[in-house]
Amino acid sequence: MKSRLKTGQKVQGAEIVCESLLRHGVSVIFGYPGGANIPIYDALYKYPELKHVLVRHEQGAAHAAEGYAWATGRPGVCFTTSGPGATNLVTGLADAMLDSIPMVCLTGQVPSKMLGTDAFQEADVLGVTLPVTKHNYLVTGAGDIAPSIYEAFHLATAGRPGPVVVDITKDAQANYAEFAEPEIMPEFNKKIKTDATADELDSLALLLNNAEKPLIIAGHGVLLSGDGKSLLKVAESQDIPVTLTQLGLSAIPHDHPLFMGMPGMHGAVSANRAPLEADVILALGMRFHDRVTGKVSAYAPQAKIIHIDIDPSELGKNVVPEIAIVGDVKTILNRLLPKLKKRKNPLWLDRFKLWKKEEEEKVINPELNADILKSAAVINLLSKETRGLATIVADVGQNQMYAAKYYCYRKYNSHFTSGGLGTMGFALPAGMGAKMADPDREVWIVIGDGGIQMTLSELATIAQEKLDIKIALLNNNYLGMVRQWQELFYKGNYSQVRLKNPDFQKLSEGFGIKSEKADNLNSAGQAIKNARDFKGPYLIEFVVAADENVFPMLPAGAGIDEMIISKADMK
């Protein structure tokens, strides 16, 4: 983008903010103005290249920035004012931190002379956000704005990505300083280890070449590395079955014969049974999250584990590997490939066929062929209508699991969701961010009736921006996942999970968004067609079974060997 300022030109700090963003290739900002950042908004008037999206709540700004980053791989950017504006970002920052999403968040702060006085709308933003960011800054001088923003963009993407906060006092925004392109800091030239050593590669290849039952578990790190093709080449060279964690979904096409589903609490039978029989597990860009492993002591005790991750702190944190390699997944896999012996493994793959058949008979077929409309059938319909090529931005709860299990993702990096933090309300603003990042994407937000009411106000932003986003609202009038646990493990004591919902059609109409309701398979299919044919935002309320449960599942604290495949298997 064309720069506006010349080196040595004296301007207000607020203009330096805009110029710094422009020079970092920023084109979209999600934010909300207030007293402590109004100078930045005044300067923004001079920078029409920086499109600002006025969200309705600062949490929405953070999640929208996450969706933008998911879709582009570049940091999402958001603005807020001081005090409550900044603290409203915290959930989004924590979400991005756990899921390795790059973000740069610029918050206004009270004038520097008023810091620590409990001034109006003052909050210790550094103290509040320190645990949920890679780094944060308090900028009190206009001359420090450009260097701080420069460092923030570097840190947000270096190594394992994450969010960075730059808190800028109001006087720093208003005062004048000479603009200068920051020099590269010497410490930024220090290279992060991205490749395996020759010895590490040889050890890795030796284990895989001698494995009889190898298994690949790939996570979000594969998507962040930017290439699922390398993963497929390694898997295909030795017929290695691949499972993808929730945040790794869409790294390879889900209709590929080597894809064996998602592991974990509500994962596939094959994906959870395989670690109990595999002799070598190649773990790529995943962190052995408790939702994947279940009880760690019971997780794959017989397997030799190879763990590759860009973040050294993840290696050995939850599961102790035989080989631990710090590095970039794509780089290492491409160097590993020539060292692998090409071979077929029909007997091992036959085991997966049996596991898949068991799940189809006990779970999938009953879900898809029920007499009443079920969420699984809705997502299956959506998958067929879009041919698995849409981007699905899933919320949290039962709807999230159905989106993970019943949509056949055929397009790389097309599944976005809140994994580590599990933030209800994530999907509505995140889907908005994803669409603004890539208008050519067909974006479907899959969300529950509980989650949508967490960030419902962002429907106004979607309408104002005239975004061509489709919303699949799975309405069972319950907080479905909590209700499921209460049914199965708390004697059916349904405490505070029944929802008295609004009329979602009238609500949509109030926001100026077209909508319709579907309560059976035929109307559901037609509604999806209608939404896809319509240019603009469209909400479909799917009235699904109130008492539906997501299976298979692992009870809390159980090992993967204690997986419950269907309700009939419960004792």
Side-chain angles (χ1 to χ4, degrees):
M1 291 185 181
K2 188 177 180 181
S3 302
R4 294 293 190 86
L5 302 182
K6 297 178 181 178
T7 299
Q9 187 175 346
K10 200 166 187 178
V11 294
Q12 283 186 309
E15 195 164 346
I16 293 175
V17 168
C18 296
E19 181 70 20
S20 299
L21 295 177
L22 194 67
R23 293 191 179 207
H24 278 93
V26 174
S27 58
V28 179
I29 299 159
F30 303 93
Y32 207 93
N37 68 349
I38 200 168
I40 294 176
Y41 277 84
D42 186 57
L44 197 61
Y45 223 76
K46 303 176 185 178
Y47 285 82
E49 304 96 328
L50 298 173
K51 177 173 176 54
H52 182 276
V53 179
L54 179 62
V55 297
R56 298 307 190 262
H57 191 283
E58 292 87 355
Q59 183 181 345
H63 294 322
E66 286 186 273
Y68 186 94
W70 266 96
T72 64
R74 302 191 303 274
V77 177
C78 55
F79 288 170
T80 76
T81 189
S82 62
T87 59
N88 280 344
L89 281 179
V90 171
T91 296
L93 293 171
D95 195 271
M97 187 68 176
L98 280 172
D99 288 351
S100 307
I101 307 297
M103 289 170 58
V104 174
C105 304
L106 306 182
T107 57
Q109 184 54 276
V110 300
S112 54
K113 289 183 179 179
M114 301 179 73
L115 288 170
T117 67
D118 291 334
F120 176 67
Q121 290 194 333
E122 181 190 3
D124 179 6
V125 174
L126 263 67
V128 170
T129 64
L130 183 65
V132 292
T133 55
K134 284 187 73 176
H135 197 61
N136 56 20
Y137 298 83
L138 173 61
V139 180
T140 58
D144 294 327
I145 289 175
S148 298
I149 291 176
Y150 173 86
E151 290 183 24
F153 273 89
H154 172 82
L155 292 171
T157 54
R160 180 177 179 175
V164 180
V165 167
V166 183
D167 193 36
I168 309 173
T169 61
K170 191 171 182 179
D171 54 317
Q173 299 168 42
N175 291 341
Y176 284 76
E178 291 184 357
F179 176 78
E181 185 83 37
E183 296 181 4
I184 297 175
M185 303 291 286
E187 55 265 36
F188 288 176
N189 284 326
K190 183 181 178 183
K191 291 186 176 181
I192 295 169
K193 184 177 182 293
T194 60
D195 202 354
T197 65
D199 287 343
E200 286 173 335
L201 277 175
D202 288 342
S203 298
L204 198 167
L206 183 64
L207 271 184
L208 286 176
N209 286 334
N210 290 307
E212 294 181 3
K213 296 180 178 181
L215 176 69
I216 292 174
I217 307 175
H220 194 197
V222 174
L223 291 171
L224 292 172
S225 184
D227 185 13
K229 294 178 181 176
S230 304
L231 168 59
L232 265 185
K233 287 177 183 176
V234 167
E236 289 170 345
S237 71
Q238 295 193 333
D239 261 1
I240 305 176
V242 177
T243 65
L244 298 174
T245 69
Q246 186 177 53
L247 291 183
L249 295 175
S250 77
I252 67 171
H254 287 205
D255 54 0
H256 192 282
L258 290 177
F259 175 62
M260 302 302 172
M262 178 184 74
M265 181 166 280
H266 290 285
V269 171
S270 56
N272 280 336
R273 291 256 179 89
L276 298 171
E277 295 191 16
D279 54 0
V280 174
I281 294 176
L282 177 58
L284 304 170
M286 54 86 70
R287 55 196 178 93
F288 289 106
H289 190 272
D290 62 282
R291 287 295 173 103
V292 169
T293 63
K295 185 167 61 180
V296 174
S297 60
Y299 184 79
Q302 78 297 330
K304 293 180 178 179
I305 295 173
I306 305 160
H307 194 180
I308 301 173
D309 202 284
I310 197 73
D311 184 356
S313 69
E314 291 296 346
L315 301 177
K317 185 173 80 174
N318 296 321
V319 172
V320 179
E322 180 87 5
I323 299 174
I325 303 175
V326 177
D328 173 72
V329 169
K330 178 181 175 181
T331 302
I332 293 172
L333 291 182
N334 283 330
R335 290 193 60 212
L336 170 67
L337 191 59
K339 295 177 177 289
L340 296 179
K341 297 175 183 175
K342 287 185 167 40
R343 59 177 176 172
K344 298 293 182 182
N345 205 342
L347 293 179
W348 179 222
L349 294 182
D350 283 346
R351 293 288 291 147
F352 288 86
K353 291 177 183 177
L354 291 174
W355 292 327
K356 283 186 172 185
K357 184 178 179 182
E358 182 181 3
E359 185 170 357
E360 284 174 5
E361 291 175 351
K362 289 187 174 182
V363 181
I364 297 174
N365 290 338
E367 287 290 299
L368 298 184
N369 298 303
D371 293 332
I372 55 175
L373 187 62
K374 305 198 82 173
S375 294
V378 171
I379 302 302
N380 183 59
L381 269 177
L382 181 59
S383 182
K384 288 179 177 178
E385 285 294 329
T386 59
R387 296 182 294 114
L389 299 176
T391 293
I392 304 298
V393 184
D395 207 67
V396 171
Q398 287 181 324
N399 63 89
Q400 183 183 39
M401 296 301 108
Y402 288 120
K405 294 169 67 64
Y406 289 92
Y407 193 90
C408 181
Y409 296 90
R410 297 176 58 231
K411 185 177 179 181
Y412 182 76
N413 192 33
S414 60
H415 170 266
F416 308 163
T417 195
S418 170
L421 198 63
T423 305
M424 289 179 67
F426 164 88
L428 201 61
M432 178 173 70
K435 186 66 176 181
M436 298 213 69
D438 185 359
D440 291 333
R441 282 179 184 253
E442 180 179 355
V443 175
W444 280 81
I445 292 166
V446 174
I447 196 164
D449 48 319
I452 197 170
Q453 293 180 80
M454 293 273 188
T455 52
L456 187 64
S457 56
E458 298 311 329
L459 285 175
T461 313
I462 290 171
Q464 181 170 327
E465 294 295 330
K466 299 181 175 64
L467 296 177
D468 187 17
I469 290 176
K470 315 307 177 187
I471 302 166
L473 169 59
L474 303 177
N475 182 9
N476 60 7
N477 291 291
Y478 275 100
L479 299 176
M481 189 61 84
V482 182
R483 189 214 60 79
Q484 175 172 338
W485 278 70
Q486 289 175 341
E487 176 191 343
L488 300 179
F489 304 112
Y490 292 88
K491 301 177 182 178
N493 296 327
Y494 299 126
S495 176
Q496 302 303 313
V497 289
R498 175 75 175 170
L499 294 172
K500 175 65 173 69
N501 286 323
D503 183 323
F504 287 108
Q505 275 67 59
K506 288 183 179 179
L507 197 63
S508 297
E509 182 183 352
F511 282 111
I513 293 175
K514 191 171 179 59
S515 72
E516 67 178 290
K517 181 185 286 190
D519 58 7
N520 59 64
L521 210 55
N522 288 335
S523 63
Q526 186 59 52
I528 292 170
K529 288 184 174 72
N530 294 343
R532 298 189 75 216
D533 289 340
F534 182 78
K535 185 69 174 177
Y538 202 108
L539 182 147
I540 308 171
E541 178 189 357
F542 297 98
V543 181
V544 295
D547 60 349
E548 63 182 5
N549 292 326
V550 185
F551 284 103
M553 72 176 297
L554 298 178
I560 54 175
D561 58 330
E562 299 173 84
M563 172 180 56
I564 301 167
I565 299 177
S566 68
K567 191 174 180 179
D569 293 330
M570 297 205 51
K571 296 178 181 179

